[in-house]
Amino acid sequence: MLTRLTRDQRYSFLAALLAWSMDTFDYFMIVLVLSDIAKDPSFDASPTQLAFLTTVTLVMRPFGAFLFGIWADRVGRRGPLIADVLLYSCTGILCAIAPNITVLLILRAIYGIGMGGEWGLGAALAMEKLPPARRGFFSGLLQVGYPIGYLMAALAYLMITALGVSWRWIFVLSIIPALTTLLLRRRVTESEAWQATQRNMGATRTTIRDILRDRRVVKRFGYLIVLMTALNWMAHSAQDVYPTFLQADQDSGGAGLSSSAASWIIVCYTLGAIAGSVVFGALSERLGRRRTIVLAAGLALAVLPLFIFPTNGLAFLVLGALLMQSLVQGAWGVVPAHLTEMSPDAIRGFYPGVTYQIGNLFAALNLPIQEHLAAGHGYPSALAWTVGPALVAVIIATSLGTEAKGAIFGASPAAAPIPAGSAPASSSAPAPFGVDGT
């Protein structure tokens, strides 16, 4: 399918995909070397202090989405996206020479700003460039960048471990996204949809401030935060504690597997997540965005017993993990297309990224809650009480919303786009909570 795109569309999508993959790659590098940093005598940091290295990144992500999103809506997608990738890449490289925990915390906070800005800008650039009828497939393909980045980080960690070098060397690899961005810079042109929106705003004398004051836009913004909180909670509850569950002893309800066996299961379900993202993203072109998300979450509820009970046997546990992660990531494969299509033209750089990052911030509470539940009731109960409600919340929140599949971008700066083939009089904008907007 890539061969049928124009050269500009291919390079724009590739730039967004690589930026998201490298972003995730850089984030998981710090997660993988936390135990090595704890052993470094020059840091002398407690586990609580080290935990803040990931917390500060998550906290700063909404600020990055806001700053880079507003900038992209004013000057275009291309320049801010390049600046964003260079920011988190250069910050990642500097982590290699951080002398103490304080400096590393500051660098990870700055990195969080860059990470927060990337997703919304990349999704906006890619979805605005691609043909409306094929957004679903490429939405799923774009979201594959997340598991790809995770796999790359794991391979990088295995490499430095095999070489026996310091944990600091893994951050030198942050130069990869910087160089990749510079190579793609000359081949990516500005978004035509953004240019058309700027012409419309100039002709109607509409400002971004006017659009942000629109009650429909504000209500839809609140709804999307609720939806993204549910989706992020679903993903984190199914992914964050599961590697620990696989290796935990049977007295705590864990699977009691060796680190090697657990690693192979992680690789297996990560590959399943990649496949699920692409398949369900493409399926959303036939079923619609909301029905596809609901379908994936509903099927995930059905396989939950296989996912959380190690007493079913290793074969069923592997099958459950593979199916669960493919379905969870399958629902997420629809998100880039769904969020950008639900966004007003004039603030598409700001709208998807900020709603996504705020939802992710709320979902950051998931891991401490799961660990607390596991300590008192065991890992199967902790997974059941977090994954199950999250899936139900996704189904309800998605069902209560609307969608704009196939929307024509650049047609109206003030309202969310009208789906292709719909008459303007019958659908001026998707309502935030239902057909009547209540």
Side-chain angles (χ1 to χ4, degrees), residues 397-428:
T398 306
S399 300
L400 290 176
T402 56
E403 66 179 71
K405 185 175 78 71
I408 306 301
F409 292 160
S412 174
I418 300 167
S422 297
S426 63
S427 179
S428 59

Side-chain angles (χ1 to χ4, degrees), residues 223 226-228 230-231 290 294 338 391-402 432-433:
Y223 162 72
V226 172
L227 177 62
M228 295 312 299
L231 282 162
R290 291 187 303 142
V294 169
H338 186 43
L391 291 169
V392 173
V394 167
I395 292 171
I396 294 174
T398 306
S399 300
L400 290 176
T402 56
F433 287 103

Side-chain angles (χ1 to χ4, degrees), residues 124-265:
L125 178 66
M127 295 300 111
E128 287 179 344
K129 290 274 188 177
L130 294 167
R134 297 170 65 190
R135 285 192 197 121
F137 170 78
F138 285 103
S139 174
L141 197 58
L142 177 63
Q143 201 60 27
V144 159
Y146 186 89
I148 287 177
Y150 180 86
L151 283 177
M152 291 174 62
L155 292 173
Y157 182 71
L158 288 174
M159 182 182 69
I160 68 162
T161 302
L163 294 175
V165 297
S166 169
W167 59 267
R168 295 178 181 272
W169 282 97
I170 197 170
F171 290 104
V172 177
L173 297 176
S174 294
I175 197 173
I176 295 175
L179 293 175
T180 303
T181 301
L182 293 175
L183 289 173
L184 289 172
R185 180 178 180 179
R186 295 181 180 179
R187 300 179 182 272
V188 177
T189 62
E190 189 51 78
S191 165
E192 295 85 353
W194 175 82
Q195 293 172 335
T197 300
Q198 294 303 299
R199 290 192 295 269
N200 290 337
M201 292 177 70
T204 59
R205 297 184 180 180
T206 305
T207 66
I208 291 178
R209 182 175 297 181
D210 295 332
I211 295 166
L212 291 174
R213 290 175 176 174
D214 189 312
R215 288 184 61 189
R216 295 174 303 167
V217 172
V218 173
K219 288 177 68 176
R220 195 183 313 121
F221 185 76
Y223 162 72
L224 290 177
I225 289 177
V226 172
L227 177 62
M228 295 312 299
T229 300
L231 282 162
N232 275 291
W233 200 282
M234 173 188 70
H236 284 291
S237 61
Q239 296 168 358
D240 291 358
V241 82
Y242 204 73
T244 305
F245 157 72
L246 290 174
Q247 298 182 62
D249 58 61
Q250 296 180 354
D251 292 337
S252 61
L257 301 177
S258 66
S259 58
S260 175
S263 297
W264 279 111
I265 293 178

Side-chain angles (χ1 to χ4, degrees), residues 38-55:
K39 300 173 185 176
D40 193 323
S42 64
F43 273 70
D44 191 25
S46 67
T48 301
Q49 289 175 312
L50 291 175
F52 275 101
L53 289 174
T54 54
T55 301

